[in-house]
Amino acid sequence: MKFKTLAEYFDTIESASSRLKMTELLAELFDKSNKDEIDKIIYLCQGSIAPRFKGIDLGVGEKFVIKAIALATGHEPKEINSKFKKSGDLGDIAQELLKNKKQSSLSFSELSVIKVFENFIKLANVGGEGSQDSKIKLIAELLSSASPVEAKYIARFPTGKLRLGVGDPTILDALSVYEKGSKEMREELERAFNLTSDLGLIAKKLFENPKQLSKITPIPFSPIRPSLAERMSSAEDIFKKLGKCVIDSKYDGLRMQIHKKENEIEIYSRNQEVLTKMFPDIVEEIKKLKEKELIFEGEALAYDEKNEKYFSFQETIRRKRKYDIKQIKEELPIQVFLFDLLFLNGKNYTQEPYIKRRKTLEKIIPKKNKMIKPSNITTVESPKEIHEFYEKCIGKGLEGIIAKDLNAPYIAGARKFSWIKLKKSYGKVADTFDVVIVGYYLGKGHRAQFNFGGLLTAVYNKEKDKYETIARIGSGFSEEEMRTFEKELSKIKLKEKPKELDSEIKPDFWVSLKYVITVSADEISLSPMHTCAKDSNPNSKGFALRFPRMLHIREDKDPKDATTTKEIKEMYRLQKN
Ligand code: ATP
């Protein structure tokens, strides 16, 4: 496929306002693709060149793209920079400058999707001395051969700001529409995606032979999308729902999915980021296990040996930062509480009942291992026993409990009642909220010095593949946090409202959807201003958080992992009860 065709589709998709239209356009685009390029087209639609778990980062700053545009168009970097300060979009600038370019370049050749993709791969791989110049040349080479609309997307891509507004659910719908003319195949595609986290791979399989899809099983080093827990507010409700069940301790740590094949180990976060380098001690421990192939899950917590206490998630995650790993290994010794087994020596365990997965897991882990151990569980036959175990967990400083259905399979990528969490109460709602930052405000009074006065935040409406506002957050920030927020958010400011957001409120600045924060609130209330769960009826009200307070950044969640509109509705129902 010519890259121009793809760029033209990107352009129409970008201006399409409804999800239905976007799906149709994507399906049409897929119809024009062949099986050797479909995976690449999918990754490009996702604004990437590989699934996240490959850990590939183009790592190109705006400065380089500005230099590349200058090289390709003959304009001064200074001029481009000042245009960028005004418009905030390098894509539009590249498009405009190429439209006005009088002479076509001598090196002009028509770009193919494969050529552009290959240059982006090279871009990701160049390193060492002179790598900055090589990166600029690679982008400039593409821009020199590009038409204005191609230039728009080539310039946007390396900095990670494609702005199509297309999420994974829309791509899944479009693949189904491409194949069947309807959403009939969506469930089957989603199942395969949940087991591999790789939409490019799924699309390739679909193009090669749709029958392959139903045969997909977990693949070591392709993380399985995590199973999630529903919430309930009492031991009685949980027992009513599950009857006899296992109650697991809920650790407030860092979720890990560990993959092993022979001596190769990889550790993935909840959102498929590669964490392996940060945990050499865990890797060594896993290497000792005699099973050849393994995928299992656990929660990692830093342990304070002196005081015999677990550190919080915030402390544990310090390991993620680029400190000296050797030093931090001693400062923050880690323990992993394993709670599920998903794959063992070529066998897919996700379809096995929980109790079988758990028993097999216990057989694999040596009992005396100090660093990796099965989580602490108990089997219960009454609400009273659930309550007792819950109290014990809270007494030990844990977050709560997770009840597990004895017979349920591992439900990848979804929140179902096979796991039910019961957490400590924060205010009237027995949970915190993970919300996406969509904008911020300038400070007034004392906060004027920080140029920061609070955040506008949103939750994710998975059904609509859109974000909806739920809270303006003005409290819970330390001075240090205000400075950091201003510094980091000003880097991702947008001139306009992000396309994937529904909002009736306008903050001082919009930002790209990147950061998820955990907040507490007194309760969920109704609001005419916020769009969470609001329908098109002019008198309809949305949900809002009452007295929201910032707790911390949730580094292991992407915007699409934020609390969903559906969860808010359910939490509102629980609160009313
Ligand atoms: P939360 O903010 O409550 O951790 P979450 O949105 O990250 O929620 P949930 O599905 O709501 O995810 O809760 C499940 C999370 O609890 C898992 O992602 C995991 O990180 C953590 N967890 C801690 N202990 C356990 C356990 N024993 N079994 C399963 N998950 C556990």
Side-chain angles (χ1 to χ4, degrees):
M1 183 188 285
K2 287 182 194 158
F3 186 69
K4 189 155 184 239
T5 310
L6 183 64
E8 282 167 353
Y9 268 100
F10 279 1
D11 211 32
T12 25
I13 291 169
E14 190 184 332
S15 50
S17 54
S18 80
R19 179 166 174 207
L20 193 67
K21 187 73 201 159
M22 281 197 259
T23 311
E24 274 172 19
L25 287 165
L26 276 173
E28 223 179 273
L29 166 68
F30 298 159
D31 201 34
K32 294 196 162 71
S33 322
N34 68 40
K35 67 176 173 19
D36 297 322
E37 57 196 13
I38 185 64
D39 49 348
K40 299 170 185 70
I41 289 173
I42 298 274
Y43 298 136
L44 291 172
C45 288
Q46 290 179 305
S48 179
I49 48 169
R52 179 173 192 151
F53 61 84
K54 298 270 180 189
I56 297 177
D57 179 11
L58 289 188
V60 179
E62 269 128 10
K63 250 186 5 215
F64 297 118
V65 180
I66 289 174
K67 283 190 184 159
I69 299 175
L71 207 62
T73 61
H75 286 259
E76 284 298 316
K78 236 188 183 171
E79 178 198 342
I80 302 171
N81 199 21
S82 81
K83 278 181 191 289
F84 177 55
K85 279 198 178 132
K86 273 186 223 138
S87 83
D89 182 352
L90 287 170
D92 287 349
I93 296 167
Q95 184 173 27
E96 176 204 314
L97 294 181
L98 269 151
K99 255 187 212 156
N100 301 332
K101 196 175 160 188
K102 290 181 192 86
Q103 246 180 336
S104 80
S105 158
L106 287 177
S107 62
F108 184 83
S109 65
E110 217 167 15
L111 291 170
S112 66
V113 167
I114 302 275
K115 164 72 187 163
V116 174
F117 194 83
E118 278 170 358
N119 264 37
F120 286 153
I121 298 255
K122 284 187 201 155
L123 201 61
N125 289 332
V126 281
E129 221 177 292
S131 67
Q132 300 186 349
D133 281 346
S134 312
K135 286 189 180 195
I136 295 168
K137 275 191 201 137
L138 281 164
I139 305 169
E141 187 201 336
L142 292 176
L143 289 172
S144 303
S145 303
S147 63
V149 68
E150 290 172 284
K152 177 175 176 180
Y153 294 98
I154 291 168
R156 277 186 189 173
F157 198 86
T159 60
K161 291 184 180 157
L162 199 59
R163 298 193 188 161
L164 290 192
V166 169
D168 295 349
T170 310
I171 296 178
L172 283 165
D173 278 353
L175 282 171
S176 175
V177 172
Y178 151 78
E179 181 64 24
K180 295 279 183 194
S182 70
K183 291 194 196 162
E184 178 190 333
M185 220 182 167
R186 164 71 198 254
E187 209 173 296
E188 192 178 347
L189 286 158
E190 191 157 357
R191 186 201 77 90
F193 175 49
N194 285 337
L195 289 179
T196 57
S197 305
D198 189 343
L199 274 181
L201 174 91
I202 300 308
K204 202 172 170 61
K205 297 254 181 222
L206 177 73
F207 271 55
E208 283 168 359
N209 176 4
K211 287 195 183 121
Q212 286 191 87
L213 280 182
S214 59
K215 299 198 183 89
I216 285 187
T217 59
I219 309 167
F221 311 118
S222 267
I224 297 166
R225 299 185 70 225
S227 185
L228 303 171
E230 286 282 359
R231 40 174 84 66
M232 281 189 156
S233 49
S234 74
E236 287 71 23
D237 288 348
I238 291 177
F239 193 75
K240 226 186 269 166
K241 185 86 192 170
L242 297 183
K244 180 179 171 182
C245 59
V246 160
I247 306 293
D248 208 336
S249 317
K250 189 172 196 308
Y251 304 92
D252 186 15
L254 184 64
R255 184 169 185 163
M256 284 185 170
Q257 195 175 96
I258 303 171
H259 290 225
K260 172 180 192 287
K261 188 168 183 173
E262 309 284 355
N263 257 342
E264 216 180 312
I265 316 283
E266 220 56 277
I267 303 176
Y268 303 98
S269 71
R270 188 188 190 289
N271 54 351
Q272 287 99 36
E273 198 186 331
V274 184
L275 301 175
T276 318
K277 284 209 180 89
M278 295 149 216
F279 298 99
D281 34 1
I282 298 177
V283 170
E284 280 318 302
E285 241 13 81
I286 306 289
K287 272 190 188 159
K288 290 181 199 158
L289 300 177
K290 61 178 193 305
E291 315 301 328
K292 278 196 178 144
E293 285 183 320
L294 263 175
I295 303 179
F296 50 13
E297 266 192 334
E299 191 85 356
L301 271 87
Y303 185 60
D304 173 0
E305 275 168 345
K306 238 195 251 153
N307 299 309
E308 294 183 23
K309 266 180 79 179
Y310 290 101
F311 284 114
S312 68
F313 170 76
Q314 282 317 103
E315 285 294 314
T316 305
I317 206 149
R318 276 177 55 209
R319 276 247 189 161
K320 266 194 76 186
R321 315 246 159 77
K322 285 172 189 137
Y323 290 116
D324 178 356
I325 286 290
K326 253 194 205 150
Q327 186 196 332
I328 205 121
K329 242 168 68 177
E330 275 151 36
E331 231 178 84
L332 292 173
I334 212 102
Q335 291 188 352
V336 189
F337 292 94
L338 297 166
F339 54 73
D340 221 316
L341 171 74
L342 313 179
F343 187 77
L344 172 63
N345 300 331
K347 182 172 159 52
N348 175 11
Y349 265 73
T350 59
Q351 289 313 301
E352 299 295 336
Y354 165 71
I355 198 67
K356 180 168 174 197
R357 304 199 304 275
R358 172 76 198 196
K359 284 196 170 137
T360 316
L361 179 71
E362 284 173 13
K363 275 190 213 146
I364 293 170
I365 313 299
K367 294 235 157 35
K368 286 188 188 135
N369 199 308
K370 275 198 173 158
M371 195 183 292
I372 53 169
K373 47 185 127 192
S375 59
N376 185 19
I377 59 167
T378 184
T379 305
V380 295
E381 297 199 41
S382 70
K384 185 170 165 270
E385 285 174 284
I386 299 182
H387 195 73
E388 281 166 8
F389 194 75
Y390 169 82
E391 290 294 334
K392 240 194 239 167
C393 288
I394 298 295
K396 279 195 244 166
L398 299 179
E399 246 197 327
I401 54 168
I402 302 202
K404 297 188 172 170
D405 182 339
L406 295 174
N407 299 311
Y410 182 88
I411 302 177
R415 201 176 287 280
K416 291 269 163 70
F417 284 97
S418 54
W419 289 7
I420 306 174
K421 59 181 172 179
L422 177 62
K423 284 167 76 168
K424 247 182 332 206
S425 259
Y426 307 84
K428 283 188 207 162
V429 266
D431 209 342
T432 50
F433 307 83
D434 293 327
V435 293
V436 187
I437 302 176
V438 298
Y440 69 103
Y441 295 87
L442 282 168
K444 290 196 187 114
H446 165 67
R447 290 191 179 176
Q449 58 178 314
F450 304 108
N451 282 331
F452 178 84
L455 300 167
L456 180 64
T457 62
V459 290
Y460 180 46
N461 188 324
K462 197 172 172 195
E463 286 68 36
K464 291 189 181 161
D465 198 8
K466 279 256 178 182
Y467 293 83
E468 299 172 335
T469 66
I470 188 158
R472 183 178 166 166
I473 300 166
S475 62
F477 306 102
S478 65
E479 292 195 351
E480 172 77 33
E481 276 170 339
M482 288 198 264
R483 275 192 206 100
T484 313
F485 270 128
E486 200 282 324
K487 185 166 161 238
E488 295 306 320
L489 296 178
S490 64
K491 288 185 201 157
I492 53 166
K493 261 195 243 171
L494 294 174
K495 285 276 173 295
E496 286 167 24
K497 177 174 77 64
K499 194 184 165 207
E500 53 274 59
L501 174 73
D502 273 338
S503 178
E504 292 170 14
I505 300 173
K506 195 171 174 302
D508 290 330
F509 302 107
W510 296 111
V511 294
S512 298
L513 308 195
K514 178 174 179 187
Y515 296 107
V516 176
I517 57 168
T518 302
V519 299
S520 63
D522 277 8
E523 60 179 351
I524 300 169
S525 55
L526 292 174
S527 144
M529 300 295 288
H530 285 290
T531 49
C532 173
K534 198 169 179 179
D535 60 35
S536 52
N537 177 338
N539 297 324
S540 162
K541 286 193 173 165
F543 289 117
L545 301 184
R546 199 158 178 239
F547 299 129
R549 292 169 295 278
M550 151 90 190
L551 295 177
H552 50 75
I553 292 199
R554 209 49 228 247
E555 288 178 47
D556 63 335
K557 280 195 173 182
D558 291 334
K560 64 177 172 23
D561 304 316
T563 303
T564 61
T565 302
K566 195 171 158 207
E567 286 179 83
I568 296 290
K569 280 189 198 164
E570 182 55 22
M571 286 161 97
Y572 185 69
R573 198 186 60 79
L574 287 178
Q575 174 189 295
K576 269 176 113 183
N577 288 347

